[in-house]
Structures are given as C-alpha cells and as structure tokens.
Amino acid sequence: MFERATKKLVQQIDPKGSLIAASSPNDSKNLKQLAVVLKTQKGWFWQQAKYKPTPFTLNDLLNGDAIKPVCNENEIVKYEGRYINSIAGSIDMGTAAFSLNMNGQGSSKLCLSLGKLQTEYVDIPKLIHDSKGRKLDLNHPLIQQSQKRNKGFTLLKERIVTTCNCSISCTELEKGGCHAMFGVGCVEMFMEDGRGKLRFDSETALDIPPKTVLAYSVIEMTIESDGYFDLCLASCELEADDISQNPFPDLSEVDGQQPLIQEGFPLDTLKNALADFQTSFCALADLSTERRSSIRLLLRKILLDRTVLSALVDGRDMLSSGENPCLLTSELSENQSQIVGAFLDLLKCEPLDKNGLSTSASLSGYNGCQISTANQSDISLASELNGSSSKPEERNGCHIAVSHRNREKASKERRELMHAMQMLISALEELTNVGLNLLEPFCTSEGLKSLQDLVIHLTSNHTPLCKDTIPVFLQNDDEFHRAEALFKSCNVLLRKENGTLTSEMTCREGFLPMVLCIAIHGLASLSDA
C-alpha cells in the first residue's frame, strides 16, 4: 500500500522527471543524503532499472577525510489525493428448463493525506568540487560484491519527506449475487445477504511519521580501476520511476512499423515478436523430465513469494555462476534462503567426467572410461572409441577431440539454459501480484499446456477461435473464468461470444500482454508432457 501511494505521488508531481518512488517506510533510515543506492541494469526490454538503498553513504566508501555536503531544503506542496478503481461483471446462462444470473462488483479507494511535503537536495556543484581527486576504498565489501554482480553505483542527491504525521488508507469492497430459476417458472431461488448475496469490505490505514522519505532521485557515479570516481551529470530521466511512459520506444515496434502493444488490437500482433522467445525456451524443454518437474514445482512455490522472485531477478548474475551471494541472501529469511539455494542447485549442470561427458547420461564402457551414447550425434564417435580405429594413437586423438567437443557442447547448453531461466524469472517478476496469484493454480502440466495452446491459437490466428478449438481443459467454465481473469490482470480481454473466442489488448503503455505470453511459454516448457 505504501509503494502504491508513493508511485501515485510521483506520477502527480514529477511524471516525466527523475524521482524514484520509495518502496517501504523502512527505507527512510537508509535514504540519507549521499546514501549509496545500487542500480540494477535492465536485462530485458520490458524491465525498468531498479534501485536498492544500502546502509552505506559515500563517506563510508571514501579513503581519507569525510565530505560534508551542503544541503538545501524547500517546501513544495501540500498533498491530498483520492484514487478510486472499480470493476463489475455479470454472466447469464440457461436453457428452457434452467436459467442462472451471476453478478459481481469490486472497488478500491486509496486516500492520501500527506500534508506539507519538503524537498531536501544536495548542492551538486559543491559536491563535485569537494570530491575531485578523491579515491574510494576498492576493498570495501559493498564495492567488491556489487561489481561482481554488475551493479551500478548511484548517490542520493534529493529526497522528498513528510513534515508532519500523515496517513494512507485503502478501502476495498467486493459484492456478488446469484439468481437461479429451475423449470419454467416453477421453482425460483434468490440469493441475497444470508441467502446468497455476498459482500466483503476491508479497510487498511497506515500512519506515517515526519521525516519519512516518499521519493528520491540519484546521481550516477563511475568507479575507475584505481579507485578514482566521477559523478555523471547527464542522467537519463526515463530510467527513474516514469511508470506512465514507454521507456523503450524503439523496442515497441515490430519490423519498425506497427507498435508492439496497441490498445484494441488482438494478440496476434505479437506473433513475430514472440517467435525468438519460444525458441529460447527449448533449453528448458530439453531437460530431463524429473528435473523439469522439480523446477516447475519449486517455481510454483516461488510465484507466491514476491521477495524470493525479486531476489532471483536482482541476482540474475548468480544464476549463471550458481553462487548464493551473502549480499543477496542476507535480507531473506532462513526459509527463503533455502528456497533460493534449492532453486540454484536444480539449475546446476550435471557433473562431467574427465571426457567431458555427463555422468548421468546413458553410458557404455571403454577402458574404464564412461562414454555417452544418449545423443545420436555422438554414437558414431562412441563406436569409433570402442574399437573402430585400429591404431592406439588414433584412438587417443579421437578421445581428446570427443572430450573437447563435449565440454564445448556442455558449456553452450549451460549458457542457453541460464539465458532461458533468466528470461522466465524476469517475465514472472514483471507480472502483478494479482497475476502471479492467478497463474499459480495453472502450474500443473495440463494447466500450463492448455494455457500455452490458448496463447499459440490467439497469437497465430487473426480470425476468432471456434469454441471447439479452445483447449479441453479450458472448456470447463470455472477454468476458463480463471484464465479470463489471468489475462485481464495483464491487460488482455478475452471475449467469448456466439461460440467464438477473441482477444483484445486494453493498454497503450507497458508490455504486460507480451510478458504474460512469455511467462506461459516458459512455464509450459517445464511441463511433463
């Protein structure tokens, strides 16, 4: 709720600027002037740069005397805001002997009463003057661990804080009703209040103390190999928290003409853009059935824990290294750290023997060494090693060639596997919490294959799907309504009319429709079928 409120604030007071919304009130203790904020670079076009406050300031990293920044203060606005979202739907069905009407309605209201806000900012020209010729301690653990993880370094230069006690409140209301009639006017059932009309209310309030940081901006710094550093004055505004704009206009086009995401267009406009992603997921489908199943079951659990999912995205370099860095896991609970460790263990490649072959592959013997014959392309080589060459030196030369070739092949397969998994994890993390909760029940082999078949049909055909073409699993009304809600959470409207099914994208900005399709293809590649 706090992050939702701060993003609303940033949209209102600095929609195209450099402000970053604070994600938690607890961040305030780390968001001091010249605090070091780590920047995670974009890995995929749908991602935005992410910023993570640390408990360190520039002075903690400096060699020599501390720098005393000159800070200025200024009152900016008195902020009050109310934001209301509502959604409603109904369904009618029946025959000559039966009729059913169900309806539902939901609304949420976010109220911000923040009082007068104050901006505090560092005198940047003075900071540049004072830091000229200064060096950082390259042995500092934050520098060493962060540079191994390809994290960028930034310094907090401005922050917006509250000046008095204020509050954030959120009210949610859900209502539903059902009206059924059996026979031709013979028996009629109404469900209202205790008889079937459902109502759910919730109200949450958060009291915010003075000096709580709501938003901040940073200045990037580059660190040289000798410890000298520079502050980058030319910053990219769109890399902050500009959630209302498309930060990748060049990547939102197919063949340089049609925008990738267009409001009112069907999903088949994504067909060409999705092709390469589908090919990349072959690396997951090539894993053993047991390994795919284990990864899928663990991912299903991770979907319901945003903290673990975000940690895997933030530490995407560790997916390649297989390491479990303390910088990442120190903020996780013991159980969450165990889940991360188990996930990394599942991604580790199977050990190779001295010939560069998987020890778990189908094996045959040669002079006490294990030779893989699981891959058809290696059968001729294996038979050659098993005696087709008459001279020992020929056998030894071929033995070395096979070892080198298999190690190269294993290295390539590992790179492809890690690339595919990074892509899948990043796509899942981009989904909303509602979307993740709706996707989790589908994480069975049958459910994922049905969703993938639906996506393939919707992205491959411009014409509406016939009712009989819809995957059997989704022809069940309950399952279809869950799929409908999942797509709706990602700005895709599924319409089932006159025995046909159509899709329509309902957003102008962002990449959620495509990200959902990528996530479904990736998860389906881990299914047992």
Side-chain angles (χ1 to χ4, degrees), residues 15-16 48 238 242-248 509-510:
K16 296 184 180 181
Q48 300 218 10
L238 284 173
D242 184 10
I243 56 178
S244 65
Q245 302 295 318
N246 178 355
F248 305 95
E509 295 92 19

Side-chain angles (χ1 to χ4, degrees), residues 33 72-73 118-122 157-159 161 211:
Q33 299 296 356
N72 302 297
E73 298 179 353
Q118 179 175 279
T119 179
E120 301 173 353
Y121 55 95
V122 175
K157 67 174 183 177
E158 177 189 13
R159 62 181 195 167
V161 299
K211 290 296 181 180

Side-chain angles (χ1 to χ4, degrees), residues 39-79:
K39 177 183 178 182
T40 301
Q41 306 289 347
K42 308 180 191 75
W44 310 96
F45 68 82
W46 59 78
Q47 291 180 311
Q48 300 218 10
K50 296 185 178 181
Y51 297 86
K52 186 176 184 61
T54 73
F56 302 101
T57 66
L58 173 62
N59 287 326
D60 294 323
L61 276 56
L62 272 178
N63 282 326
D65 297 335
I67 291 177
K68 296 181 180 179
V70 175
C71 299
N72 302 297
E73 298 179 353
N74 183 34
E75 282 192 359
I76 49 174
V77 291
K78 183 176 181 180
Y79 192 83

Side-chain angles (χ1 to χ4, degrees), residues 296-487:
R296 174 172 50 80
L297 291 175
L298 192 53
L299 267 179
R300 182 173 183 176
K301 181 184 297 185
I302 291 173
L303 288 184
L304 301 180
D305 193 331
R306 170 73 70 176
T307 302
V308 172
L309 190 58
S310 297
L312 288 171
V313 172
D314 292 341
R316 62 177 181 264
D317 293 328
M318 102 190 142
L319 289 177
S320 299
S321 65
E323 297 175 6
N324 205 340
C326 60
L327 184 67
L328 173 68
T329 57
S330 61
E331 298 182 5
L332 301 178
S333 68
E334 182 179 352
N335 182 57
Q336 289 172 329
S337 296
Q338 290 175 352
I339 292 175
V340 170
F343 187 76
L344 294 178
D345 287 342
L346 285 172
L347 293 182
K348 288 179 180 177
C349 288
E350 296 167 340
L352 302 179
D353 64 16
K354 64 183 181 181
N355 296 319
L357 300 164
S358 171
T359 58
S360 64
S362 176
L363 303 171
S364 62
Y366 167 71
N367 290 342
C369 297
Q370 299 297 326
I371 307 299
S372 171
T373 59
N375 190 308
Q376 186 65 34
S377 63
D378 292 335
I379 291 179
S380 59
L381 293 172
S383 63
E384 186 175 355
L385 285 175
N386 279 314
S388 60
S389 295
S390 57
K391 297 180 180 180
E393 59 271 18
E394 290 179 359
R395 292 199 300 270
N396 291 338
C398 188
H399 174 92
I400 295 173
V402 171
S403 174
H404 179 68
R405 185 176 305 176
N406 278 280
R407 288 191 180 279
E408 283 188 341
K409 179 182 178 183
S411 178
K412 179 183 177 182
E413 289 176 349
R414 175 176 175 79
R415 289 195 303 270
E416 291 174 347
L417 172 62
M418 294 306 149
H419 176 80
M421 187 55 68
Q422 289 171 357
M423 186 194 308
L424 173 56
I425 292 292
S426 297
L428 291 172
E429 200 260 348
E430 195 70 14
L431 300 180
T432 64
N433 289 334
V434 173
L436 290 174
N437 288 329
L438 290 168
L439 180 60
E440 185 270 338
F442 282 104
C443 288
T444 63
S445 291
E446 185 181 15
L448 290 172
K449 278 297 184 182
S450 296
L451 282 181
Q452 185 183 41
D453 289 344
L454 179 62
V455 167
I456 290 174
H457 283 305
L458 292 174
T459 56
S460 301
N461 302 292
H462 183 66
T463 57
L465 268 68
C466 296
K467 182 179 179 180
D468 296 337
T469 313
I470 299 174
V472 175
F473 183 80
L474 297 177
Q475 290 182 15
N476 176 284
D477 286 337
D478 289 339
E479 298 298 338
F480 179 79
H481 290 319
R482 288 199 298 115
E484 188 178 31
L486 171 62
F487 278 81

Side-chain angles (χ1 to χ4, degrees), residues 149 193 254 342:
R149 303 289 173 262
D193 297 330
V254 177

Side-chain angles (χ1 to χ4, degrees), residues 173-194:
L173 171 66
E174 295 181 15
K175 295 187 294 184
C178 179
H179 174 197
M181 183 180 293
F182 299 91
V184 186
C186 300
V187 182
E188 193 169 359
M189 293 174 57
F190 294 92
M191 301 176 70
E192 298 183 10
D193 297 330

